[in-house]
Amino acid sequence: MKVVPSRSSEWVRPVTPQKPASAIIEIESVSQVFQTSARKDHVALSDISLAIDEGAFVSILGPSGCGKSTLLYVVGGFVSPTSGSAKIRGRTIMGPGPDRGPVFQEFALFPWKTVLGNVMYGPRQQGVRTTEAEAQSRALIEMVGLKGYENFYPKELSGGMKQRVALARTLAYHPEVLLMDEPFGALDAHTRTRLQNDLLNIWERDRKTVLFVTHSVDEAVFLSDKVVMMSKSPGRIREVIDIDLPRPRRRSELLLDPRYQKYVVDIERMFDETDPVGSPS
Amino acid sequence: MISPAGLARRAAPVLACIGLLAMWQAASLALKNDSFPTAIEAIRAIPDILGDKESLINILASLRRMAIGFGIAVSVSIPLGLLMGRSRAVAAFFNPLLMVIYPVPKAALMPIIMLWLGVGDVTKTLVIFLGVSLPVIYHSFEGAKAVEEKMLWSGAAMGLSPAQRLVRIVLPAALPEILTGCRTGLVLALITMITSEMIARQSGAGNILFNALDMGQYDTVFAMIIIVGAMGICLDAIFERVRARLVRWSEPQFDMPLSFS
């Protein structure tokens, strides 16, 4: 049996032969090797096992190049692992599907569609009637704070607004799991903070399972139930940390909370041990 | 009320044309060469050509061949270019073929094609087709290659099949680049149209031009050059209108993104 270092974890734990019924995603000894040149292989992920429970907000934290995004792409079905497998509700993931909704750092909006057109795209593809899809999409656009921008093209929006559209577009087709790949990584500090707050508010309404990749320690602590700390070369799980902070979380309260501060300091120290010289990003 | 700057911008093309014609007029008067008529003589010959039923039929026949050649080329080249851009195997197969054909002047193939297909419309349309295809394939290929992987992943997560992704994501995402290729293709269509009629003289605008040249009617020759040039400008202007409408989304309406976070 694989032993993954873990501190008493109810949300994230090593996969045991008796699979816990509540795990929605199970990653079983996934390895991912990229051939960078004829002689040298880059081991992006080495024997990763992880189970994620339904309704959990789990962050994957690690330095650049530790394979954390690759792990997310494996769950998304965008990349097939060199060995091992990922499962959703017990079914092996063979490719992308509407049960897992990605949100990328690059937004990846459809630039030829308006905000409304982008958000409606998923529901329309799923066969939802136009009028119904439009009503749902307008409600989502309002929820992410973009009421009045329905007919704007992505080109006319700021980075923060684009990421709001991307989130609404993904929520629109009701994925069971949100896969967020450094979604706020390209945004300025202020925008980032506002989006973190808004994401938490949205998440606290329906508590969808979220897998959230980030390299920011305080972002991971602020948002998550669990932080999965990865180390690089090869990409391994170093530690799984429960974030035992009350919800709903308010930034102003949390920043003054000694427990929050301790999590951040502890994890930052671990981060430094994992990546002593800092990594080029 | 038009601002002085706006007025200058609108007047600029007209002034450029007047300037060009004035230089032509001056050069022609200075050289005093029989085969180089003045601008005024050439312009005077235009109404005669456009008023002649025979000439108009010729010009319309040219345009018809051009439209057919261009239309077929675009409808074949765009799918091929997109497939090449998204599939390594397809690109590996077609790239060497296209690299060989690209630098060959299409008019140079005409004598051979004429042997096979005669001097009629089919040959000329085929040459136009060849001339238009390559830039359209090339730009569609480049446009499809540049489509962001994550945009396709987003589509895949929504349940789009690979074929649907090609038509509903790669095609619109690559459209600005494809239309750049089509614009080059349109100019090349006009050029190959005239050259094909120069080689296989039977009908068309090129036929009028080169017959006049043979007969020493230099004012008609230059008048035809002006007409062909004007046709090019008009076609390009129409195409640009269509293009701007289709890819409105890719050009910002505002200089700065709205500040909002």
Side-chain angles (χ1 to χ4, degrees), chain A residues 73 98 106 125-126 158 161, chain B residues 150 154 157-158 168 253 260:
Chain A
Y73 301 159
E106 301 87 344
Q125 177 66 25
Q126 310 286 301
S158 68
M161 292 165 91
Chain B
K150 305 218 166 132
S154 298
M158 291 175 190
R168 291 176 51 191
Q253 286 176 5
F260 183 95

Side-chain angles (χ1 to χ4, degrees), chain A:
Chain A
M1 195 186 89
K2 276 275 149 265
V3 178
V4 177
S6 172
R7 287 177 187 173
S8 67
S9 156
E10 51 184 305
W11 297 97
V12 180
R13 71 181 88 74
V15 177
T16 53
Q18 307 83 33
K19 278 162 202 155
S22 52
I24 181 164
I25 298 224
E26 294 149 289
I27 298 163
E28 290 166 4
S29 7
V30 160
S31 294
Q32 182 72 49
V33 182
F34 293 113
Q35 213 166 29
T36 45
S37 64
R39 301 233 180 107
K40 215 169 155 243
D41 285 343
H42 173 68
V43 183
L45 297 172
S46 172
D47 202 19
I48 303 261
S49 292
L50 190 68
I52 291 151
D53 277 8
E54 187 148 16
F57 198 122
V58 177
S59 285
I60 304 175
L61 178 73
S64 302
C66 72
K68 55 193 189 297
S69 290
T70 308
L71 185 60
L72 194 83
Y73 301 159
V74 168
V75 176
F78 308 123
V79 165
S80 12
T82 313
S83 66
S85 68
K87 289 180 179 167
I88 176 160
R89 293 204 191 283
R91 284 172 288 116
T92 304
I93 291 166
M94 304 299 284
D99 49 353
R100 287 149 290 140
V103 177
F104 298 108
Q105 183 178 358
E106 301 87 344
F107 320 125
L109 295 173
F110 303 136
W112 62 94
K113 291 270 178 198
T114 60
V115 169
L116 183 63
N118 267 282
V119 179
M120 278 175 67
Y121 207 97
R124 289 293 297 129
Q125 177 66 25
Q126 310 286 301
V128 178
R129 290 211 342 273
T130 310
T131 45
E132 204 177 317
E134 186 177 332
Q136 288 173 6
S137 300
R138 285 186 186 279
L140 271 170
I141 291 165
E142 188 171 355
M143 185 172 88
V144 298
L146 287 180
K147 193 172 167 59
Y149 292 93
E150 288 85 352
N151 297 320
F152 282 58
Y153 284 100
K155 196 121 205 184
E156 299 160 359
L157 307 175
S158 68
M161 292 165 91
K162 282 184 198 162
Q163 198 56 288
R164 285 167 190 273
V165 178
L167 178 63
R169 181 181 67 169
T170 300
L171 291 173
Y173 54 91
H174 307 296
E176 292 184 65
V177 182
L178 271 183
L179 303 174
M180 308 190 79
D181 180 24
E182 300 195 43
F184 309 143
L187 307 176
D188 64 80
H190 174 68
T191 308
R192 197 182 169 112
T193 308
R194 287 192 58 173
L195 275 155
Q196 287 168 359
N197 284 327
D198 291 355
L199 174 65
L200 264 197
N201 287 335
I202 291 166
W203 179 78
E204 271 157 6
R205 291 181 202 183
D206 59 355
R207 304 235 168 183
K208 232 179 240 305
T209 312
V210 180
L211 203 52
F212 190 101
V213 166
T214 179
H215 58 246
S216 158
V217 175
D218 36 282
E219 181 167 84
V221 175
F222 177 58
L223 296 171
S224 316
D225 298 313
K226 295 290 166 207
V227 174
V228 178
M229 177 88 205
M230 285 183 67
S231 61
K232 74 170 184 178
S233 327
R236 282 209 173 94
I237 294 178
R238 186 171 184 272
E239 192 92 51
V240 177
I241 305 121
D242 280 314
I243 305 298
D244 193 11
L245 292 169
R247 292 190 189 268
R249 292 177 188 169
R250 258 177 258 288
R251 180 167 214 91
S252 51
E253 293 165 14
L254 217 58
L255 288 177
L256 297 170
D257 189 327
R259 288 173 299 173
Y260 169 82
Q261 293 160 359
K262 186 162 181 351
Y263 280 125
V264 172
V265 171
D266 285 353
I267 294 173
E268 262 174 7
R269 189 172 297 136
M270 230 184 290
F271 206 119
D272 288 340
E273 287 164 18
T274 309
D275 189 27
V277 285
S279 47
S281 49

Side-chain angles (χ1 to χ4, degrees), chain B residues 44-65:
Chain B
R44 271 201 196 129
I46 293 174
D48 289 344
I49 298 169
L50 295 182
D52 180 36
K53 201 180 161 206
E54 190 74 15
S55 305
L56 274 182
I57 289 170
N58 270 303
I59 292 170
L60 287 176
S62 293
L63 286 173
R64 199 178 67 106
R65 279 194 292 273

Side-chain angles (χ1 to χ4, degrees), chain B residues 10 12 16 57 75 83 88 124 157 181:
Chain B
R10 283 186 192 193
I57 289 170
S75 46
L83 275 173
R88 265 171 217 274
K124 290 171 196 158

Side-chain angles (χ1 to χ4, degrees), chain B residues 203-255:
Chain B
S203 74
N207 184 43
I208 303 172
L209 201 161
F210 293 102
N211 277 343
L213 193 66
D214 287 349
M215 291 185 284
Q217 297 167 338
Y218 297 110
D219 52 348
T220 308
V221 171
F222 279 84
M224 274 312 293
I225 291 171
I226 295 174
I227 290 169
V228 171
M231 269 158 49
I233 292 171
C234 289
L235 286 172
D236 192 61
I238 294 166
F239 185 82
E240 181 51 29
R241 278 277 171 92
V242 175
R243 192 198 67 82
R245 181 163 272 271
L246 285 175
V247 298
R248 198 176 48 204
W249 51 268
S250 77
E251 278 134 28
Q253 286 176 5
F254 304 96
D255 290 339

Side-chain angles (χ1 to χ4, degrees), chain B residues 81-165:
Chain B
L82 295 182
L83 275 173
M84 284 172 65
R86 296 316 308 176
S87 158
R88 265 171 217 274
V90 176
F93 181 80
F94 282 102
N95 232 341
L97 292 175
L98 297 175
M99 283 300 119
V100 171
I101 301 170
Y102 209 171
V104 176
K106 304 308 165 288
L109 298 172
M110 238 195 111
I112 305 164
I113 300 171
M114 273 160 64
L115 282 178
W116 298 338
L117 302 173
V119 291
D121 278 2
V122 181
T123 300
K124 290 171 196 158
T125 310
L126 183 62
V127 174
I128 294 168
F129 167 84
L130 290 174
V132 176
S133 293
L134 286 148
V136 179
I137 294 174
Y138 177 74
H139 280 275
S140 307
F141 174 43
E142 290 297 322
K145 260 200 306 193
V147 174
E148 227 185 312
E149 197 69 32
K150 305 218 166 132
M151 211 190 275
L152 294 164
W153 287 3
S154 298
M158 291 175 190
L160 272 81
S161 68
Q164 285 178 317
R165 272 175 266 160

